[in-house]
Amino acid sequence: MLEMKVGIMQPYFMPYIGYWQLINVVDKFVLLDDVNYIMRGYINRNSILLNGKPYRFTLPVENASQNKLIMDTKLRFAQEKKQDFFKTISNAYGKAPCYRKVAPIIEDIINNSDDDITEYIKYSIQKVMSYLGINTEILVSSQIPKNQELKGEERIVEICKRLGADVYINPCGGRKLYHQNVFMSKNIKLYFLDTRKEDIIYDQKRNEFIDNLSIIDILMFNEVDIMQELLKRYELNE
């Protein structure tokens, strides 16, 4: 009988490749939207290459506050600003080898009319998944019945139990947050995904490689078959 693998992360807009490796390796991926919004985090921000240098973009959020839940956070993304953002991406990657294939996808993502930040990001994730041939089921935490009093690690375990998970996989940064004994007590195996950063190198048409950029950068420079190979360059460790 196959094990059912679950990953849970806050919704990030067009994040780095490790996020996509996690989506690709699990059966169900949960967008953790019923926790507090993180100011100056990666929910609405990331970086692309512009004129050969990292450039930080930020989606405008209405009355952003760490005292609000992500699910209660709205975008304030006027159509004019969306057009400006897409122009920035076009200026950055207009000469990239995969621009003509990827640009229409990015433009469609940006022009999504939903102002709910979770739904906006969910749409972007599903569009990229479709392009890359990833079939993982995307769920939203606030739509999963559970004990809302639970916090932190206990909340993650509760979601896993509700989904019938045999395995929970988290990015390597969660090693201080999650503990093997807690998950094993609920008959759930815990693994951490370590991206092999030294193997995520590709031609950015510049001398020095810049890592940890938005998936936009990787999409623009790599065909789908190469992207699918890059998604496999990780290790799962206890």
Side-chain angles (χ1 to χ4, degrees):
M1 188 172 179
L2 294 175
E3 293 180 321
M4 208 276 278
K5 302 181 289 295
V6 168
I8 304 171
M9 288 287 290
Q10 294 152 343
Y12 289 170
F13 182 72
M14 304 302 281
Y16 78 120
I17 193 168
Y19 194 100
W20 301 93
Q21 289 177 324
L22 179 59
I23 291 176
N24 189 47
V25 75
V26 298
D27 302 297
K28 296 183 179 182
F29 185 81
V30 180
L31 297 174
L32 190 65
D33 68 328
D34 46 1
V35 295
N36 288 75
Y37 181 83
I38 300 175
M39 301 291 290
R40 294 177 294 278
Y42 287 96
I43 294 172
N44 66 322
R45 307 193 311 163
N46 217 289
S47 297
I48 58 173
L49 274 184
L50 182 62
N51 299 322
K53 298 179 181 179
Y55 168 82
R56 176 63 58 85
F57 66 77
T58 303
L59 303 186
V61 173
E62 182 177 343
N63 299 322
S65 171
Q66 62 187 17
N67 296 318
K68 283 185 179 180
L69 300 180
I70 297 172
M71 61 184 284
D72 296 325
T73 302
K74 304 297 182 184
L75 289 171
R76 190 175 56 194
F77 209 176
Q79 189 59 37
E80 182 181 352
K81 294 296 183 182
K82 291 180 178 181
Q83 291 172 356
D84 289 344
F85 181 33
F86 182 67
K87 286 179 183 177
T88 298
I89 291 173
S90 295
N91 289 337
Y93 296 107
K95 296 181 180 179
C98 298
Y99 176 80
R100 291 192 177 185
K101 295 178 182 178
V102 175
I105 299 169
I106 303 301
E107 185 174 25
D108 180 69
I109 287 169
I110 293 171
N111 285 328
N112 178 10
S113 61
D114 206 322
D115 65 354
D116 180 289
I117 196 166
T118 304
E119 290 301 321
Y120 189 89
I121 292 173
K122 181 182 177 183
Y123 182 78
S124 71
I125 289 172
Q126 290 175 323
K127 290 292 291 187
V128 174
M129 284 174 55
S130 177
Y131 177 71
L132 296 177
I134 299 173
N135 298 313
T136 301
E137 182 180 1
I138 304 298
L139 303 168
V140 176
S141 177
S142 60
Q143 298 171 6
I144 299 172
K146 58 185 175 297
N147 182 352
Q148 296 292 349
E149 300 300 316
L150 298 175
K151 305 294 182 184
E153 186 175 35
E154 290 184 339
R155 178 183 289 243
I156 298 300
V157 171
E158 170 83 352
I159 294 172
C160 287
K161 287 171 58 183
R162 294 281 181 171
L163 297 179
D166 301 297
V167 176
Y168 175 64
I169 304 175
N170 199 81
C172 59
R175 282 190 169 92
K176 294 181 180 179
L177 301 175
Y178 305 119
H179 306 89
Q180 295 287 349
N181 62 321
V182 174
F183 282 82
M184 286 303 297
S185 69
K186 304 297 182 181
N187 296 314
I188 301 169
K189 298 175 185 176
L190 172 63
Y191 293 100
F192 296 98
L193 188 149
D194 291 286
T195 300
R196 300 201 313 260
K197 292 183 179 181
E198 68 279 6
D199 293 331
I200 311 293
I201 297 176
Y202 49 92
D203 186 4
Q204 294 174 320
K205 308 303 179 186
R206 65 190 309 282
N207 292 328
E208 182 183 355
F209 181 75
I210 303 295
D211 64 0
N212 288 328
L213 296 174
S214 164
I215 194 69
I216 294 171
D217 188 78
I218 308 180
L219 291 170
M220 289 293 185
F221 287 115
N222 296 278
E223 297 285 353
V224 170
D225 59 336
I226 301 299
M227 283 290 313
Q228 290 171 340
E229 177 58 32
L230 293 175
L231 289 172
K232 299 174 184 176
R233 296 181 183 180
Y234 63 84
E235 303 291 342
L236 288 183
N237 299 299
E238 295 185 354

